[in-house]
Amino acid sequence: MKNKLINFDIKGDARGSLIALEKEHNVPFDIKRVYYIFDTKDGVRRGYHAHNNLQQLAICVKGSCKFLLDDGISQEIYTLDKPTIGLYLEGLIWREMFDFSPDCVLMILADAYYDETDYIRDYQSFLEQVNS
Ligand code: TYD
């Protein structure tokens, strides 16, 4: 899988920490959309989709959660539990997010506006597309 974790430089001083996200510096695409998931209820698992053509960077800015990534051949689980790391997602990858801590704020940057037609929400269709 081409997904990878990106470490962000912290601009820290005696007052605390700051991270800046900038296109091409530490975000490898043109940012068109930012959304965040929070107040996720206990035991919820969400996602359950892949994208035809979308780059994303997922950052858990508070709390923690896990990502299951599946390329149709193998699966990987990533734990996001610090605001200094981003999980870069691209290509045909099925994703599920789970184990959200009550305080989790999961922020996601994307290179395209929300477009339901870009979603593959059926796992069998996803596998067929991987193998086509
Ligand atoms: P959904 O795709 O179910 O979230 P996830 O896959 O992360 O579990 O999205 C929940 C709702 O929010 C759904 O009605 C679509 C809407 N939505 C937007 O309007 N814009 C967006 O950028 C996203 C990601 C979702």
Side-chain angles (χ1 to χ4, degrees):
M1 289 188 215
K2 293 177 197 159
N3 308 289
K4 61 179 183 202
L5 293 170
I6 297 175
N7 276 294
F8 306 126
D9 285 341
I10 303 173
K11 317 288 177 188
D13 58 27
R15 298 169 297 171
S17 304
L18 182 153
I19 287 174
L21 301 174
E22 296 184 339
K23 169 190 163 188
E24 281 161 22
H25 290 167
N26 49 10
V27 179
F29 53 79
D30 203 350
I31 303 159
K32 284 236 178 73
R33 174 167 55 114
V34 178
Y35 62 96
Y36 37 97
I37 294 169
F38 58 101
D39 278 353
T40 307
K41 305 308 172 214
D42 192 33
V44 163
R45 193 172 179 103
R46 57 185 304 167
Y48 294 102
H49 64 258
H51 286 280
N52 284 303
N53 186 25
L54 186 69
Q55 295 182 78
Q56 292 178 302
L57 186 63
I59 303 152
C60 195
V61 292
K62 189 169 173 60
S64 64
C65 66
K66 291 181 181 158
F67 266 75
L68 167 79
L69 302 183
D70 179 345
D71 64 1
I73 298 164
S74 60
Q75 299 189 335
E76 291 173 351
I77 291 176
Y78 290 88
T79 299
L80 298 185
D81 59 2
K82 41 182 87 72
T84 56
I85 286 180
L87 176 61
Y88 174 60
L89 301 164
E90 65 122 24
L92 205 52
I93 298 289
W94 184 265
R95 77 264 337 246
E96 295 171 19
M97 296 89 85
F98 59 104
D99 273 4
F100 289 86
S101 63
D103 61 345
C104 178
V105 180
L106 175 63
M107 183 173 73
I108 302 184
L109 284 54
D111 74 341
Y113 299 118
Y114 177 72
D115 175 9
E116 186 59 37
T117 67
D118 185 59
Y119 281 71
I120 306 164
R121 293 196 183 270
D122 175 67
Y123 189 72
Q124 286 309 316
S125 305
F126 161 71
L127 287 180
E128 282 164 24
Q129 205 150 318
V130 166
N131 294 311
S132 67

